[in-house]
Amino acid sequence: QVERRTHDYKRHGTTTLFAALDVATGEVLGSCFRQHRTEEFLAFLKLVARAYPRRELHIVLDNASTHKEPRVKLWLSQHPRIHLHFTPTSASWMNQVETWFSLLQRRAIKRGVFKSVSALLDAIRRFLNAWNAHKKPFVWVKSAEQILRKADRQHSAVTVH
């Protein structure tokens, strides 16, 4: 039997969490916003840029429209050390921060009952702080060749001819 929410479960609001995973250390930089728009995404990019001030940054993203807005492109043109890379459609599994989001969901949110958005935010912050206190990088168990071959197969499978 699959676990379900009770009949009287009520959602008391949501949040948008943007997170950046440093693949070398496992550290996660996260910030919650009320909405998921270009303004919030730009605010997060600025936060990442401040957190890593003297580095060339390569940020892997899904294909959300907010990531490709003209204002984002303009900001990136003014910050040439920051490069965006997009996962192929249906291949967000290639972005290691998605693994972290899955852990957050399973360990801190899934069975939680949050009476307010601030209670949800507190749970996210606690998980994020605990993660960073004991951080370690994720390790791929497949070779780069195997991963890219799988991505190519999946891309081919969803291509319409």
PDB file of all heavy atoms in Angstrom, residues 22-23 48-49 52-59 79-85:
ATOM      1  N   ASP A  22      28.116  22.975  -4.605  1.00  0.00           N
ATOM      2  CA  ASP A  22      29.526  22.991  -4.967  1.00  0.00           C
ATOM      3  C   ASP A  22      29.937  21.533  -5.116  1.00  0.00           C
ATOM      4  O   ASP A  22      30.063  20.809  -4.123  1.00  0.00           O
ATOM      5  CB  ASP A  22      30.337  23.686  -3.875  1.00  0.00           C
ATOM      6  CG  ASP A  22      31.808  23.806  -4.213  1.00  0.00           C
ATOM      7  OD1 ASP A  22      32.330  22.955  -4.964  1.00  0.00           O
ATOM      8  OD2 ASP A  22      32.450  24.743  -3.705  1.00  0.00           O
ATOM      9  N   VAL A  23      30.126  21.082  -6.354  1.00  0.00           N
ATOM     10  CA  VAL A  23      30.370  19.657  -6.591  1.00  0.00           C
ATOM     11  C   VAL A  23      31.699  19.191  -6.010  1.00  0.00           C
ATOM     12  O   VAL A  23      31.876  17.998  -5.769  1.00  0.00           O
ATOM     13  CB  VAL A  23      30.269  19.282  -8.094  1.00  0.00           C
ATOM     14  CG1 VAL A  23      28.858  19.494  -8.606  1.00  0.00           C
ATOM     15  CG2 VAL A  23      31.285  20.039  -8.926  1.00  0.00           C
ATOM     16  N   VAL A  48      24.891  33.766  -5.406  1.00  0.00           N
ATOM     17  CA  VAL A  48      25.944  32.810  -5.760  1.00  0.00           C
ATOM     18  C   VAL A  48      27.216  33.556  -6.153  1.00  0.00           C
ATOM     19  O   VAL A  48      28.315  33.196  -5.730  1.00  0.00           O
ATOM     20  CB  VAL A  48      25.476  31.855  -6.892  1.00  0.00           C
ATOM     21  CG1 VAL A  48      26.618  30.990  -7.401  1.00  0.00           C
ATOM     22  CG2 VAL A  48      24.319  30.983  -6.416  1.00  0.00           C
ATOM     23  N   ALA A  49      27.065  34.613  -6.943  1.00  0.00           N
ATOM     24  CA  ALA A  49      28.230  35.395  -7.369  1.00  0.00           C
ATOM     25  C   ALA A  49      28.957  36.000  -6.163  1.00  0.00           C
ATOM     26  O   ALA A  49      30.192  36.005  -6.123  1.00  0.00           O
ATOM     27  CB  ALA A  49      27.794  36.487  -8.341  1.00  0.00           C
ATOM     28  N   TYR A  52      30.894  33.234  -4.141  1.00  0.00           N
ATOM     29  CA  TYR A  52      32.094  32.728  -4.820  1.00  0.00           C
ATOM     30  C   TYR A  52      32.671  33.862  -5.670  1.00  0.00           C
ATOM     31  O   TYR A  52      32.582  33.838  -6.905  1.00  0.00           O
ATOM     32  CB  TYR A  52      31.753  31.508  -5.684  1.00  0.00           C
ATOM     33  CG  TYR A  52      31.177  30.371  -4.882  1.00  0.00           C
ATOM     34  CD1 TYR A  52      29.796  30.192  -4.757  1.00  0.00           C
ATOM     35  CD2 TYR A  52      32.018  29.481  -4.226  1.00  0.00           C
ATOM     36  CE1 TYR A  52      29.278  29.145  -4.010  1.00  0.00           C
ATOM     37  CE2 TYR A  52      31.506  28.427  -3.480  1.00  0.00           C
ATOM     38  CZ  TYR A  52      30.134  28.278  -3.381  1.00  0.00           C
ATOM     39  OH  TYR A  52      29.619  27.245  -2.630  1.00  0.00           O
ATOM     40  N   PRO A  53      33.272  34.881  -5.033  1.00  0.00           N
ATOM     41  CA  PRO A  53      33.609  36.122  -5.733  1.00  0.00           C
ATOM     42  C   PRO A  53      34.748  36.047  -6.746  1.00  0.00           C
ATOM     43  O   PRO A  53      34.732  36.785  -7.712  1.00  0.00           O
ATOM     44  CB  PRO A  53      33.976  37.079  -4.599  1.00  0.00           C
ATOM     45  CG  PRO A  53      34.420  36.197  -3.489  1.00  0.00           C
ATOM     46  CD  PRO A  53      33.598  34.942  -3.620  1.00  0.00           C
ATOM     47  N   ARG A  54      35.717  35.227  -6.564  1.00  0.00           N
ATOM     48  CA  ARG A  54      36.876  35.248  -7.452  1.00  0.00           C
ATOM     49  C   ARG A  54      37.045  33.933  -8.200  1.00  0.00           C
ATOM     50  O   ARG A  54      38.150  33.466  -8.395  1.00  0.00           O
ATOM     51  CB  ARG A  54      38.140  35.578  -6.646  1.00  0.00           C
ATOM     52  CG  ARG A  54      38.170  37.031  -6.197  1.00  0.00           C
ATOM     53  CD  ARG A  54      39.365  37.361  -5.345  1.00  0.00           C
ATOM     54  NE  ARG A  54      39.242  36.909  -3.961  1.00  0.00           N
ATOM     55  CZ  ARG A  54      38.482  37.487  -3.043  1.00  0.00           C
ATOM     56  NH1 ARG A  54      37.761  38.541  -3.351  1.00  0.00           N
ATOM     57  NH2 ARG A  54      38.447  37.020  -1.812  1.00  0.00           N
ATOM     58  N   ARG A  55      35.948  33.364  -8.615  1.00  0.00           N
ATOM     59  CA  ARG A  55      35.989  32.083  -9.322  1.00  0.00           C
ATOM     60  C   ARG A  55      35.196  32.167 -10.610  1.00  0.00           C
ATOM     61  O   ARG A  55      34.200  32.869 -10.698  1.00  0.00           O
ATOM     62  CB  ARG A  55      35.322  30.991  -8.489  1.00  0.00           C
ATOM     63  CG  ARG A  55      36.067  30.500  -7.314  1.00  0.00           C
ATOM     64  CD  ARG A  55      35.171  29.474  -6.688  1.00  0.00           C
ATOM     65  NE  ARG A  55      35.832  28.570  -5.804  1.00  0.00           N
ATOM     66  CZ  ARG A  55      35.170  27.700  -5.076  1.00  0.00           C
ATOM     67  NH1 ARG A  55      33.869  27.631  -5.139  1.00  0.00           N
ATOM     68  NH2 ARG A  55      35.812  26.888  -4.275  1.00  0.00           N
ATOM     69  N   GLU A  56      35.632  31.385 -11.555  1.00  0.00           N
ATOM     70  CA  GLU A  56      34.816  31.159 -12.733  1.00  0.00           C
ATOM     71  C   GLU A  56      33.742  30.159 -12.302  1.00  0.00           C
ATOM     72  O   GLU A  56      34.059  29.121 -11.724  1.00  0.00           O
ATOM     73  CB  GLU A  56      35.674  30.578 -13.851  1.00  0.00           C
ATOM     74  CG  GLU A  56      34.932  30.410 -15.122  1.00  0.00           C
ATOM     75  CD  GLU A  56      35.630  31.095 -16.279  1.00  0.00           C
ATOM     76  OE1 GLU A  56      36.541  31.899 -16.057  1.00  0.00           O
ATOM     77  OE2 GLU A  56      35.219  30.822 -17.399  1.00  0.00           O
ATOM     78  N   LEU A  57      32.493  30.484 -12.547  1.00  0.00           N
ATOM     79  CA  LEU A  57      31.398  29.622 -12.097  1.00  0.00           C
ATOM     80  C   LEU A  57      30.678  29.008 -13.287  1.00  0.00           C
ATOM     81  O   LEU A  57      30.322  29.707 -14.237  1.00  0.00           O
ATOM     82  CB  LEU A  57      30.400  30.423 -11.260  1.00  0.00           C
ATOM     83  CG  LEU A  57      30.929  31.036  -9.975  1.00  0.00           C
ATOM     84  CD1 LEU A  57      29.858  31.880  -9.312  1.00  0.00           C
ATOM     85  CD2 LEU A  57      31.413  29.957  -9.022  1.00  0.00           C
ATOM     86  N   HIS A  58      30.457  27.705 -13.198  1.00  0.00           N
ATOM     87  CA  HIS A  58      29.680  26.982 -14.197  1.00  0.00           C
ATOM     88  C   HIS A  58      28.451  26.442 -13.474  1.00  0.00           C
ATOM     89  O   HIS A  58      28.573  25.590 -12.596  1.00  0.00           O
ATOM     90  CB  HIS A  58      30.508  25.862 -14.817  1.00  0.00           C
ATOM     91  CG  HIS A  58      31.613  26.386 -15.661  1.00  0.00           C
ATOM     92  ND1 HIS A  58      31.467  26.619 -17.001  1.00  0.00           N
ATOM     93  CD2 HIS A  58      32.883  26.767 -15.338  1.00  0.00           C
ATOM     94  CE1 HIS A  58      32.598  27.104 -17.482  1.00  0.00           C
ATOM     95  NE2 HIS A  58      33.467  27.215 -16.486  1.00  0.00           N
ATOM     96  N   ILE A  59      27.293  26.949 -13.852  1.00  0.00           N
ATOM     97  CA  ILE A  59      26.048  26.615 -13.161  1.00  0.00           C
ATOM     98  C   ILE A  59      25.192  25.757 -14.086  1.00  0.00           C
ATOM     99  O   ILE A  59      24.880  26.157 -15.215  1.00  0.00           O
ATOM    100  CB  ILE A  59      25.305  27.902 -12.743  1.00  0.00           C
ATOM    101  CG1 ILE A  59      26.213  28.759 -11.836  1.00  0.00           C
ATOM    102  CG2 ILE A  59      23.988  27.556 -12.060  1.00  0.00           C
ATOM    103  CD1 ILE A  59      25.658  30.124 -11.516  1.00  0.00           C
ATOM    104  N   HIS A  79      28.563  39.767 -16.372  1.00  0.00           N
ATOM    105  CA  HIS A  79      29.300  38.921 -15.425  1.00  0.00           C
ATOM    106  C   HIS A  79      29.870  37.723 -16.192  1.00  0.00           C
ATOM    107  O   HIS A  79      29.404  36.585 -16.019  1.00  0.00           O
ATOM    108  CB  HIS A  79      28.383  38.474 -14.278  1.00  0.00           C
ATOM    109  CG  HIS A  79      27.857  39.617 -13.489  1.00  0.00           C
ATOM    110  ND1 HIS A  79      26.750  40.347 -13.878  1.00  0.00           N
ATOM    111  CD2 HIS A  79      28.317  40.198 -12.358  1.00  0.00           C
ATOM    112  CE1 HIS A  79      26.542  41.315 -13.003  1.00  0.00           C
ATOM    113  NE2 HIS A  79      27.486  41.250 -12.088  1.00  0.00           N
ATOM    114  N   PRO A  80      30.887  37.961 -17.021  1.00  0.00           N
ATOM    115  CA  PRO A  80      31.376  36.913 -17.924  1.00  0.00           C
ATOM    116  C   PRO A  80      32.041  35.717 -17.229  1.00  0.00           C
ATOM    117  O   PRO A  80      32.274  34.703 -17.868  1.00  0.00           O
ATOM    118  CB  PRO A  80      32.374  37.647 -18.826  1.00  0.00           C
ATOM    119  CG  PRO A  80      32.763  38.871 -18.073  1.00  0.00           C
ATOM    120  CD  PRO A  80      31.582  39.230 -17.210  1.00  0.00           C
ATOM    121  N   ARG A  81      32.295  35.796 -15.939  1.00  0.00           N
ATOM    122  CA  ARG A  81      32.888  34.646 -15.239  1.00  0.00           C
ATOM    123  C   ARG A  81      31.834  33.593 -14.891  1.00  0.00           C
ATOM    124  O   ARG A  81      32.158  32.504 -14.434  1.00  0.00           O
ATOM    125  CB  ARG A  81      33.617  35.100 -13.972  1.00  0.00           C
ATOM    126  CG  ARG A  81      32.717  35.588 -12.877  1.00  0.00           C
ATOM    127  CD  ARG A  81      33.507  36.135 -11.686  1.00  0.00           C
ATOM    128  NE  ARG A  81      32.607  36.573 -10.631  1.00  0.00           N
ATOM    129  CZ  ARG A  81      32.183  35.785  -9.650  1.00  0.00           C
ATOM    130  NH1 ARG A  81      32.597  34.551  -9.568  1.00  0.00           N
ATOM    131  NH2 ARG A  81      31.359  36.241  -8.739  1.00  0.00           N
ATOM    132  N   ILE A  82      30.568  33.932 -15.112  1.00  0.00           N
ATOM    133  CA  ILE A  82      29.470  33.021 -14.767  1.00  0.00           C
ATOM    134  C   ILE A  82      28.873  32.453 -16.057  1.00  0.00           C
ATOM    135  O   ILE A  82      28.487  33.196 -16.953  1.00  0.00           O
ATOM    136  CB  ILE A  82      28.407  33.745 -13.926  1.00  0.00           C
ATOM    137  CG1 ILE A  82      29.058  34.265 -12.644  1.00  0.00           C
ATOM    138  CG2 ILE A  82      27.234  32.826 -13.629  1.00  0.00           C
ATOM    139  CD1 ILE A  82      28.187  35.131 -11.794  1.00  0.00           C
ATOM    140  N   HIS A  83      28.829  31.138 -16.121  1.00  0.00           N
ATOM    141  CA  HIS A  83      28.362  30.444 -17.318  1.00  0.00           C
ATOM    142  C   HIS A  83      27.218  29.510 -16.938  1.00  0.00           C
ATOM    143  O   HIS A  83      27.325  28.751 -15.979  1.00  0.00           O
ATOM    144  CB  HIS A  83      29.495  29.612 -17.934  1.00  0.00           C
ATOM    145  CG  HIS A  83      30.751  30.386 -18.109  1.00  0.00           C
ATOM    146  ND1 HIS A  83      30.986  31.187 -19.205  1.00  0.00           N
ATOM    147  CD2 HIS A  83      31.839  30.521 -17.308  1.00  0.00           C
ATOM    148  CE1 HIS A  83      32.171  31.767 -19.079  1.00  0.00           C
ATOM    149  NE2 HIS A  83      32.712  31.382 -17.931  1.00  0.00           N
ATOM    150  N   LEU A  84      26.140  29.569 -17.705  1.00  0.00           N
ATOM    151  CA  LEU A  84      25.015  28.666 -17.485  1.00  0.00           C
ATOM    152  C   LEU A  84      25.092  27.506 -18.473  1.00  0.00           C
ATOM    153  O   LEU A  84      25.411  27.700 -19.644  1.00  0.00           O
ATOM    154  CB  LEU A  84      23.684  29.397 -17.657  1.00  0.00           C
ATOM    155  CG  LEU A  84      23.421  30.597 -16.756  1.00  0.00           C
ATOM    156  CD1 LEU A  84      21.990  31.098 -16.953  1.00  0.00           C
ATOM    157  CD2 LEU A  84      23.687  30.282 -15.301  1.00  0.00           C
ATOM    158  N   HIS A  85      24.804  26.310 -17.979  1.00  0.00           N
ATOM    159  CA  HIS A  85      24.748  25.111 -18.805  1.00  0.00           C
ATOM    160  C   HIS A  85      23.401  24.452 -18.513  1.00  0.00           C
ATOM    161  O   HIS A  85      22.998  24.339 -17.359  1.00  0.00           O
ATOM    162  CB  HIS A  85      25.876  24.141 -18.445  1.00  0.00           C
ATOM    163  CG  HIS A  85      27.231  24.767 -18.541  1.00  0.00           C
ATOM    164  ND1 HIS A  85      27.914  24.868 -19.726  1.00  0.00           N
ATOM    165  CD2 HIS A  85      28.019  25.332 -17.597  1.00  0.00           C
ATOM    166  CE1 HIS A  85      29.073  25.461 -19.512  1.00  0.00           C
ATOM    167  NE2 HIS A  85      29.161  25.754 -18.224  1.00  0.00           N
TER     168      HIS A  85
END
